[in-house]
């Protein structure tokens, strides 16, 4: 019997691994379902676009808090305490979010929704911290393969949750219950939370790898922060995650312009990632982790170039989506596996830094790609139609703002109007500045013009549905062009990564 077998003696390894994999489903569900219900929340709770954005981002902030504050102390508090914390955070977060239902129209309802989203975000982050380290501790001789299996549940949950949420909205009412309502969609998150709680809370957990090796926490911190190769791997992680989450903002736009429904694009890419991660074992054996990362980076670069150069053509774009999905499938779990296998003394701190800095890099890439896309977007706008839309906003929206000001303080009247003064003022302000720039320079700017059109679409004012439709028709091809240009600019990073992993 090996030392690892002796340590895992009496540990229900299969039950724990099944439980921690299922514990990723609340993360996947909340990611996709919260995005699915934001428009409902805006209408029912009389929220501004900014408030809706804060709610959408709150789950990510809660996740970041867990990663940064609790992740580095995992060796001290242990797996079981962290899982208990995740279970409580998930239950309380979802419950608080649903409790806002009874306060629709009240000004403080936003804060109930916001804190609820932060709550289940904390749970999501704790599961991410525990899951990666726990998988490594359960399978010390097969880390990379099992980490790929663990991470397969996230895209799998995104596919299932996304299709389920879409289907619930399409069905509408079932047995007298409005299953498409936001509260029913969010209540679904209770199911995987209760299941993983049943599987994980009663059982004994193994020690962390650092605890098992007898490495003092102080030494783990010193080793992690001073080892140059650890930081080299973290930098590579920032690039790989940027190539996954950055282009992900624009790829659906490119495919939707070719007539493919967004949810189908999302399900196709996520489904391929899920399947490849489930069957990662043969790839690990034949290619080794660096070989998988080399092949993945090469495929990612090819997929990005296909998206950048082909504006339409369903077949070629679906091929691009397939190649891209195959490329990014192994990056996240395999990088975590490399950190655990090659730098075990970095412990949970190394994995937390790897993920945390990776998400930071991905956020930066989103901003960079957005800036590139907006820079090129005005070149693809239909000049005559865009000017006409901006002029109509300038002419008609002051009247809407005056009506909204009179309705302030009366939630029922605001709900009947379907818009708030804040959103309308933002649309009008952006349109006025866009027109002023156009009149002075004879061209559209890259800031106010797209923002005016997007703000109009986000507001979804029923009284201006025809204007909104025209704005969508103008903005969609321009977003497509800007997105393809941003993808083109970021694609060389994938080939640079391929060269680095080839060297490794």
């Amino acid at each position: 019997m090996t030392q690892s077998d002796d340590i895992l003696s009496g540990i229900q390894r299969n039950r724990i691994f099944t439980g921690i994999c299922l514990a990723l489903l609340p993360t996947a569900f909340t990611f996709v379902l919260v995005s699915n219900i934001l428009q409902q929340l805006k209408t029912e709770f009389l929220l501004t676009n900014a408030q809706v954005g804060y709610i959408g981002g709150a789950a990510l902030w809660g996740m970041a808090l867990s990663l940064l504050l609790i992740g580095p102390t995992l060796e001290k508090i242990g797996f079981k305490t962290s899982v208990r914390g995740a279970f409580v955070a998930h239950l309380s977060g979802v419950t608080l979010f649903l409790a806002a239902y009874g306060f629709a129209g009240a000004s403080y309802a936003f804060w109930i929704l916001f804190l609820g989203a932060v709550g289940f975000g904390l749970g999501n982050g704790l599961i991410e911290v525990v899951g990666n380290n726990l998988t490594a501790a359960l399978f010390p001789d097969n880390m990379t393969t099992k980490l790929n299996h663990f991470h397969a549940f996230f895209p799998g949950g995104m596919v299932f949750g996304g299709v389920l949420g879409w289907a619930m909205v399409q069905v509408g009412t079932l047995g007298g219950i409005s299953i498409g309502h936001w509260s029913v969609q969010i209540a679904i998150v209770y199911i995987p939370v209760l299941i993983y709680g049943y599987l994980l809370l009663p059982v004994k957990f193994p020690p962390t790898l650092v605890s098992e090796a007898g490495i003092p926490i102080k030494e783990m911190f010193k080793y992690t922060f001073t080892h140059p190769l650890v930081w080299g791997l973290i930098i590579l992680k920032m690039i790989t995650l940027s190539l996954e989450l950055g282009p992900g903002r624009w790829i659906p736009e490119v495919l939707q312009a070719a007539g493919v429904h967004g949810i189908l694009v999302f399900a196709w890419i996520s489904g391929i990632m899920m399947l490849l991660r489930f069957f990662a074992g043969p790839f690990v054996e034949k290619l080794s982790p660096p070989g998988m990362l080399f092949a993945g980076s090469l495929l990612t670069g090819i997929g990005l170039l296909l998206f950048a150069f082909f504006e339409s053509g369903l077949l070629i774009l679906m091929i691009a989506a397939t190649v891209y999905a195959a490329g990014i499938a192994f990056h996240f779990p395999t990088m975590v596996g490399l950190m655990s296998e090659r730098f075990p003394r970095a412990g949970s701190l190394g994995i937390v830094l790897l993920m945390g800095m990776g998400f930071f890099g991905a956020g930066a890439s989103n901003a960079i790609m957005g800036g590139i896309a907006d820079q090129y977007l005005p070149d693809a706008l239909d000049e005559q139609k865009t000017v006409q839309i901006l002029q109509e906003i300038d002419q008609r929206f002051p009247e809407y703002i005056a009506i909204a000001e009179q309705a302030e303080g009366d939630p029922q009247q605001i709900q009947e109007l379907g818009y708030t003064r804040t959103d309308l003022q933002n649309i009008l302000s952006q349109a006025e500045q866009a027109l002023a720039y156009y009149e002075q320079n004879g061209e559209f700017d890259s800031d106010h013009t797209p923002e005016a059109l997007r703000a109009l679409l986000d507001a979804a004012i029923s009284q201006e549905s025809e204007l909104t439709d025209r704005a969508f028709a103008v903005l969609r091809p321009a977003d497509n062009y800007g997105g393809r240009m941003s993808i083109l600019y970021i694609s060389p990073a994938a080939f640079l990564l391929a060269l680095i992993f080839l060297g490794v």
Side-chain angles (χ1 to χ4, degrees):
M1 179 180 287
T2 65
Q3 184 180 1
S4 62
D5 289 335
D6 186 52
I7 292 170
L8 293 171
S9 177
I11 301 294
Q12 300 180 53
R13 204 157 49 161
N14 290 333
R15 174 171 177 163
I16 293 174
F17 186 63
T18 300
I20 202 63
C21 286
L22 293 175
L24 270 182
L25 295 183
T27 304
F29 281 15
T30 52
F31 262 72
V32 70
L33 291 177
V34 168
S35 298
N36 200 42
I37 65 171
L38 289 179
Q39 189 59 45
Q40 285 192 48
L41 296 179
K42 179 182 177 182
T43 302
E44 189 166 324
F45 289 89
L46 311 176
L47 303 176
T48 65
N49 289 328
Q51 288 175 318
V52 167
Y54 287 134
I55 292 171
L60 292 175
W61 296 339
M63 191 172 183
L65 285 173
S66 294
L67 288 169
L68 296 175
L69 299 182
I70 301 173
T73 65
L74 181 64
E75 270 74 18
K76 188 174 182 65
I77 63 179
F79 288 134
K80 186 151 192 173
T81 301
S82 299
V83 168
R84 286 171 177 164
F87 182 74
V88 171
H90 273 139
L91 280 184
S92 58
V94 174
T95 302
L96 185 61
F97 200 91
L98 291 173
Y101 176 80
F103 303 96
S107 59
Y108 52 83
F110 160 75
W111 291 107
I112 301 175
L113 292 168
F114 179 83
L115 293 175
V118 170
F120 52 67
L122 288 170
N124 295 344
L126 278 170
I127 290 299
E128 194 68 48
V129 169
V130 173
N132 289 283
N133 290 279
L134 179 57
T135 301
L138 288 171
F139 305 97
D141 301 322
N142 195 21
M143 288 183 192
T144 299
T145 298
K146 300 308 290 187
L147 280 165
N148 271 280
H149 292 169
F150 168 63
H151 281 281
F153 280 78
F154 181 71
M158 294 272 279
V159 172
F160 182 75
V163 173
L164 181 62
W166 175 80
M168 292 171 73
V169 171
Q170 301 306 308
V171 172
T173 302
L174 185 65
I177 300 174
S178 177
I179 63 171
H181 191 262
W182 68 268
S183 58
V184 181
Q185 293 191 56
I186 292 298
I188 290 173
V189 181
Y190 277 129
I191 298 173
V193 171
L194 294 174
I195 292 174
Y196 88 70
Y198 166 77
L199 290 171
L200 294 180
L201 294 181
V203 300
K204 176 186 175 183
F205 283 78
T208 66
L209 291 177
V210 166
S211 301
E212 176 189 330
I215 300 172
I217 294 178
K218 183 178 179 181
E219 184 179 334
M220 178 188 74
F221 271 78
K222 181 180 179 181
Y223 174 85
T224 303
F225 282 110
T226 59
H227 199 300
L229 292 181
V230 169
W231 283 100
L233 191 60
I234 288 172
I235 292 171
L236 291 176
K237 177 66 174 177
M238 294 173 70
I239 301 174
T240 59
L241 201 56
S242 295
L243 291 171
E244 178 178 343
L245 299 183
R249 158 69 178 83
W250 299 104
I251 286 172
E253 292 285 346
V254 173
L255 285 172
Q256 285 184 60
V260 184
H261 197 288
I263 193 66
L264 298 179
V265 176
F266 171 78
W268 181 258
I269 292 177
S270 299
I272 291 171
M273 292 173 64
M274 175 190 69
L275 288 173
L276 287 175
R277 288 176 180 178
F278 270 130
F279 297 102
F283 294 98
V284 175
E285 293 174 6
K286 293 180 179 180
L287 295 176
S288 79
M292 293 169 65
L293 292 169
F294 161 70
S297 299
L298 197 60
L299 290 173
T300 300
I302 294 171
L304 290 176
L305 286 178
L306 289 173
F307 277 122
F309 286 112
F310 290 93
E311 180 177 359
S312 60
L314 179 59
L315 178 60
I316 188 65
L317 288 175
M318 291 307 292
I319 291 174
T322 303
V323 172
Y324 174 74
I328 63 174
F330 296 131
H331 274 156
F332 196 108
T334 304
M335 294 288 282
V336 174
L338 269 180
M339 178 66 80
S340 298
E341 289 177 354
R342 303 209 174 185
F343 308 102
R345 293 172 65 187
S348 65
L349 179 61
I351 293 177
V352 165
L353 284 174
L354 188 77
M355 293 189 298
M357 294 299 290
F359 283 117
F360 175 80
S365 75
N366 267 311
I368 292 170
M369 290 187 71
I372 295 170
D374 281 345
Q375 180 182 346
Y376 282 93
L377 182 149
D379 297 339
L381 288 171
D382 183 295
E383 184 175 358
Q384 182 178 355
K385 292 178 180 178
T386 303
V387 170
Q388 186 175 355
I389 291 168
L390 295 174
Q391 288 175 340
E392 290 182 35
I393 292 173
D394 188 44
Q395 294 165 4
R396 297 203 292 267
F397 274 55
E399 182 180 347
Y400 290 134
I401 292 173
I403 295 172
E405 286 177 344
Q406 293 176 357
E408 286 184 344
D410 187 342
Q412 184 176 354
Q413 189 176 354
I414 295 176
Q415 196 161 19
E416 290 174 357
L417 287 176
Y419 53 78
T420 63
R421 177 176 58 86
T422 303
D423 284 344
L424 294 180
Q425 285 181 330
N426 177 50
I427 297 170
L428 180 59
S429 173
Q430 297 289 352
E432 288 174 340
Q433 294 178 76
L435 279 173
Y437 186 93
Y438 176 78
E439 291 168 358
Q440 183 176 353
N441 299 279
E443 61 182 11
F444 298 118
D445 69 326
S446 60
D447 294 322
H448 302 298
T449 305
E451 285 305 311
L453 297 173
R454 288 178 187 140
L456 178 62
L457 297 182
D458 290 340
I461 303 168
S462 59
Q463 296 90 333
E464 291 290 352
S465 58
E466 189 270 338
L467 181 64
T468 302
D469 289 342
R470 283 192 282 130
F472 178 75
V474 166
L475 185 60
R476 189 177 191 180
D479 258 339
N480 179 7
Y481 176 72
R484 288 190 296 109
M485 290 300 100
S486 67
I487 290 171
L488 179 62
Y489 270 82
I490 201 172
S491 59
F495 296 105
L496 175 63
L497 276 177
L499 290 174
I500 293 173
F501 288 128
L502 181 62
V504 174

